[in-house]
Amino acid sequence: MSPRKLARAASPRAPRNPQGRHPGSAGQPGAVPLSAAHRVSPRTIQLLLEQAGITYSDFVLEQRLLRADPLLRNPVMRTRRIIEIAHLAGFHDVSYLHRVFRRHFGQTPDDVRRLADDPG
């Protein structure tokens, strides 16, 4: 399984595990649900991520950030508070979202939303 397939599997649209949660969601034991969903061992997941140079935690964090960014820019989501968008993207702590979002994108979620609202 390629890192690209892993990205699709861990994305918010990924197949759910038997408990109805996405692989890697809070309360799940790391790569185990993801590996079960794709019928490979957790070690295989770990090796694939190692080859890509990332940890499972980093991988999940990046997928959540990549989910939050378009939600913040989406005009349909303008009425939603950032904490709601954080939860939709898989973050349970909005201040953590702000910190890692700024580190990753160089802007805060508020900045991204403000720029998306600015027509010109």
Side-chain angles (χ1 to χ4, degrees), residues 71 81-94 97:
L71 289 172
R81 296 180 311 153
I82 290 179
I83 192 168
E84 293 174 273
I85 290 173
H87 288 139
L88 287 171
F91 290 93
H92 300 288
D93 180 355
V94 73
L97 166 67

Side-chain angles (χ1 to χ4, degrees), residues 45-64:
I45 300 290
Q46 190 177 22
L47 287 171
L48 287 167
L49 291 171
E50 258 179 46
Q51 289 172 357
I54 58 173
T55 66
Y56 183 76
S57 297
D58 291 339
F59 175 77
V60 171
L61 175 61
E62 179 151 354
Q63 295 308 305
R64 289 176 178 168

Side-chain angles (χ1 to χ4, degrees), residues 32-44:
V32 173
L34 181 60
S35 65
H38 292 281
R39 296 190 172 123
V40 297
S41 72
R43 181 67 181 143
T44 300

Side-chain angles (χ1 to χ4, degrees), residues 68-106:
D69 185 50
L71 289 172
L72 289 164
R73 296 174 190 277
N74 187 339
V76 174
M77 301 298 281
R78 282 191 185 129
T79 59
R80 297 279 185 104
R81 296 180 311 153
I82 290 179
I83 192 168
E84 293 174 273
I85 290 173
H87 288 139
L88 287 171
F91 290 93
H92 300 288
D93 180 355
V94 73
S95 34
Y96 181 62
L97 166 67
H98 278 270
R99 249 187 342 269
V100 296
F101 195 93
R102 181 179 206 131
R103 192 178 317 137
H104 187 83
F105 294 109

